[in-house]
Amino acid sequence: MKISVIGGGRWARTIASVLCGLPGRADRITMHSPSNAAGLQAWAAQSQFFGRLSAVEAWPTSTAGPERPDAVIVANRAEDHFEAAARFLARGIPVLSEKPVALSRDDIEQLNSIARANGTAFGASHVFLFARYVEAYAASLASLGRPRSIRLIWTDGASDVRHGEAKSYDPAVTLFDDVLPHIVPMVGELQFRDLAFVSLDVRRGGARLAIEAQANGLPVSLLIARNDQGRQRRIEVETEKGVAVLDFAEEPGVIDIAGTRANGDPQWTTALRPLGTMLSAFIAVVEGAPLDPRLSPDRAIASAAFADAIRGRYIAHQAEWLAKRLGEPLDTALLYALAEFGSNEAGNADSISKAWPAIAGQAELNMLLARSRLFSDAR
């Protein structure tokens, strides 16, 4: 099978590496990156890839011929996901899209419609749904009676290292757009579905958010953050019989029920890990199996719908907060907000440092915001 991975960043390389290591397979993997082809070519030349991995600058061909891929995995910049997925779905090529599948619910629904119209498979990446430690935690909860509430903490440090490489994020993608596609499907697996937005507390220029919601009348509390004191991944569910905790900051995590702690996944070192399991499920779909429900775009649509419910409140808060900060010196919170909320031209620290002092009043601020994709998409 010929599999194309679109993207040249850390996660795209991780996907390509795992594809090359799937047992019993000899797929030909090609990475496509207009901006990092040379770097990828040097990386792909490593011996562990068995000569099966290559890298090119151009996107995959979607026309019939020997170079047409059998499947495409979209793992480039979030704002480019829709264009890439739509192009190949329209030509009948199965697509698995990384999160966020697109930056609005409407766009994901449109991709789903394109896939159905062309009779091709369309999967949304929900890697944590393929984690055995999440499955084990859900099974533990089922034995504890009715759930009463859930609290989830998801934070990243300013300089986290994952798999030997510094982790980074796209400053133009809001924290909630980036993280909710992981969180919403997971809390759904724990029986907290159909989230209804209640309130939002914004701190540090948008780098730390406390979100309150309800699921069938039950309280849901989400604390998410970037550039925080460190990495946290913690779920606490209160049930009729007590509190159950899953701490997976270090995979495979620990499940704690009434003080009894257990390894989240005893098979972690001997069986496929979540990404490998998810990619295997997608390959099976390409080869004719039914779509695994954990890959369903419906879950991505639910995540995007919840993000869209937050968006208006978030943008209004940020615009008001920036107006109150006019004339003040730049600090880390302002730099964060302006990089996320400003125009593409004002997205880096040097440009922001030059532009911010010139924004003397509401009119100039409105001009800055009007150039923002985040601002314009919410209009």
Side-chain angles (χ1 to χ4, degrees):
M1 180 183 294
K2 298 184 292 295
I3 304 174
S4 286
V5 179
I6 298 178
R10 180 188 68 88
W11 190 241
R13 295 195 302 276
T14 300
I15 290 170
S17 178
V18 171
L19 284 169
C20 287
L22 290 177
R25 300 202 62 88
D27 304 301
R28 174 181 151 197
I29 316 300
T30 305
M31 300 192 71
H32 304 261
S33 175
S35 61
N36 191 30
L40 288 177
Q41 287 165 1
W43 176 77
Q46 297 177 79
S47 59
Q48 73 244 36
F49 299 131
F50 317 110
R52 291 167 44 203
L53 178 62
S54 60
V56 297
E57 182 176 346
W59 275 21
T61 180
S62 57
T63 57
E67 296 305 311
R68 174 184 164 105
D70 299 300
V72 169
I73 298 174
V74 175
N76 54 353
R77 289 184 61 181
E79 66 181 21
D80 299 325
H81 284 184
F82 177 84
E83 178 187 358
R87 174 185 295 197
F88 299 104
L89 290 172
R91 292 302 186 106
I93 298 174
V95 169
L96 173 67
S97 181
E98 260 307 318
K99 63 86 189 173
V101 171
L103 293 174
S104 75
R105 173 181 178 172
D106 289 347
D107 282 349
I108 303 174
E109 289 178 335
Q110 186 175 344
L111 290 174
N112 211 15
S113 295
I114 294 170
R116 287 198 301 266
N118 290 277
T120 193
F122 174 39
S125 173
H126 298 123
V127 68
F128 287 99
L129 298 188
F130 291 84
R132 285 181 295 274
Y133 56 81
V134 173
E135 294 175 346
Y137 181 57
S140 297
L141 290 176
S143 67
L144 296 176
R146 292 170 59 86
R148 291 178 175 171
S149 67
I150 185 169
R151 174 174 169 78
L152 189 147
I153 302 171
W154 184 293
T155 70
D156 289 306
S159 55
D160 284 355
V161 175
R162 298 294 293 162
H163 309 294
E165 187 173 351
K167 185 177 179 179
S168 62
Y169 61 87
D170 184 345
V173 177
T174 68
L175 172 59
F176 60 88
D177 279 314
D178 191 30
V179 174
L180 289 178
H182 283 320
I183 289 176
V184 174
M186 271 199 296
V187 300
E189 285 296 289
L190 304 176
Q191 308 308 314
F192 291 85
R193 301 189 179 95
D194 301 322
L195 296 181
F197 173 59
V198 174
S199 67
L200 175 69
D201 181 57
V202 183
R203 300 296 173 93
R204 295 198 283 112
R208 186 177 177 90
L209 305 176
I211 302 166
E212 298 297 326
Q214 288 191 340
N216 298 319
L218 299 176
V220 177
S221 296
L222 309 175
L223 176 63
I224 59 179
R226 290 170 172 162
N227 303 331
D228 211 63
Q229 295 181 353
R231 176 182 174 86
Q232 294 188 75
R233 302 286 189 270
R234 183 180 177 88
I235 305 175
E236 303 171 1
V237 176
E238 182 182 356
T239 74
E240 289 178 322
K241 298 181 181 179
V243 176
V245 176
L246 170 63
D247 187 334
F248 58 108
E250 293 295 332
E251 293 175 294
V254 174
I255 298 172
D256 186 328
I257 298 177
T260 300
R261 295 163 59 87
N263 184 339
D265 179 8
Q267 301 179 64
W268 185 255
T269 60
T270 58
L272 278 180
R273 295 184 178 181
L275 179 57
T277 306
M278 183 183 75
L279 293 172
S280 296
F282 175 63
I283 288 172
V285 174
V286 177
E287 294 180 333
L291 184 72
D292 189 305
R294 293 171 291 183
L295 295 174
S296 172
D298 290 342
R299 297 176 186 251
I301 290 169
S303 301
F306 188 55
D308 285 349
I310 294 170
R311 196 176 317 281
R313 187 83 57 88
Y314 179 76
I315 292 172
H317 173 278
Q318 293 292 76
E320 181 180 353
W321 181 79
L322 285 169
K324 291 178 180 177
R325 296 292 307 269
L326 286 172
E328 296 182 13
L330 282 168
D331 56 18
T332 55
L334 272 172
L335 283 169
Y336 180 92
L338 290 166
E340 173 188 86
F341 209 37
S343 67
N344 291 332
E345 305 85 53
N348 62 70
D350 289 339
S351 296
I352 291 168
S353 297
K354 294 175 183 176
W356 179 247
I359 304 174
Q362 188 69 52
E364 290 90 345
L365 179 60
N366 289 343
M367 289 177 63
L368 173 71
L369 299 181
R371 298 197 301 269
S372 165
R373 178 199 53 79
L374 177 63
F375 187 79
S376 61
D377 284 356
R379 292 310 234 179

